[in-house]
Amino acid sequence: MNKVTLNIWGRIFDLKIEYDCYKNEEILPIQKDTLAAFCNSKEAIDLSKNIVEQYCINNNSNEIGADSIDNIFKYVIPRYLYITRCKHKRTLAIMCDYKFDMENGLAIVYENEKPVRVGKQDIIL
C-alpha cells in the first residue's frame, strides 16, 4: 500500500505512506499493523485537532492574530504518513506543511493510536 485515503478533521486527504526502513530492509509486521490500526482509529485523528490548534496558537499567535483558529487548514496541510521502525509500540506521524515553518514542517506523532506530541518534523525523523 503506497497511499491511504483519510478523513482528517473533516477533509479527505490521499496521503503517501513512508516507512522508516532502508532499501535492503523489509517493512516490519508492526509497521503494517501500525498503519492498519491508525486508519481504523478516527478518534485518534479527531483528538489531535485541538493539540495542533494549540501548537499553532502557542507558537504563532501574533501571525494568526487571534486566540482561536476557525480553519486549521489555513496553517496546516497533511502531506504523508511516516511510520517508524519501533518494535515496542505502534508509532507514526502525520507529516504536514506548516505555514509558519515551511522548511521544517509539522509532525503530529501518535503512539498506539493516541496523539502524543506535535512539533517540527525532526521530532520523529
Side-chain angles (χ1 to χ4, degrees):
M1 183 184 304
N2 297 330
K3 279 191 171 187
V4 66
T5 300
L6 288 175
N7 182 332
I8 299 175
W9 312 320
R11 192 175 286 182
I12 302 297
F13 289 91
D14 289 323
L15 302 175
K16 243 182 14 168
I17 300 165
E18 186 175 312
Y19 292 95
D20 179 16
C21 60
Y22 294 107
K23 292 187 190 287
N24 62 341
E25 293 178 320
E26 289 191 25
I27 297 168
L28 298 174
I30 193 167
Q31 288 176 297
K32 293 176 184 177
D33 293 345
T34 298
L35 178 61
F38 183 76
C39 289
N40 290 319
S41 181
K42 181 181 179 332
E43 181 180 323
I45 295 170
D46 292 344
L47 286 173
S48 66
K49 184 178 182 194
N50 289 335
I51 298 167
V52 173
E53 288 174 340
Q54 196 59 52
Y55 177 89
C56 296
I57 291 167
N58 289 346
N59 290 283
N60 299 99
S61 61
N62 290 341
E63 294 92 336
I64 293 169
D67 57 359
S68 65
I69 294 176
D70 60 340
N71 180 2
I72 190 64
F73 299 113
K74 288 181 184 178
Y75 313 110
V76 178
I77 300 293
R79 292 297 178 201
Y80 68 98
L81 297 181
Y82 179 78
I83 303 173
T84 67
R85 200 165 180 82
C86 182
K87 296 179 181 179
H88 306 292
K89 54 190 165 191
R90 295 180 304 278
T91 306
L92 68 69
I94 300 176
M95 305 299 264
C96 306
D97 287 342
Y98 185 47
K99 179 178 181 175
F100 305 111
D101 191 352
M102 292 303 289
E103 184 176 330
N104 296 299
L106 189 76
I108 309 161
V109 181
Y110 300 83
E111 291 177 354
N112 298 326
E113 300 78 58
K114 293 187 178 22
V116 292
R117 62 188 171 276
V118 174
K120 294 179 181 183
Q121 290 182 358
D122 62 0
I123 66 172
I124 189 95
L125 294 175

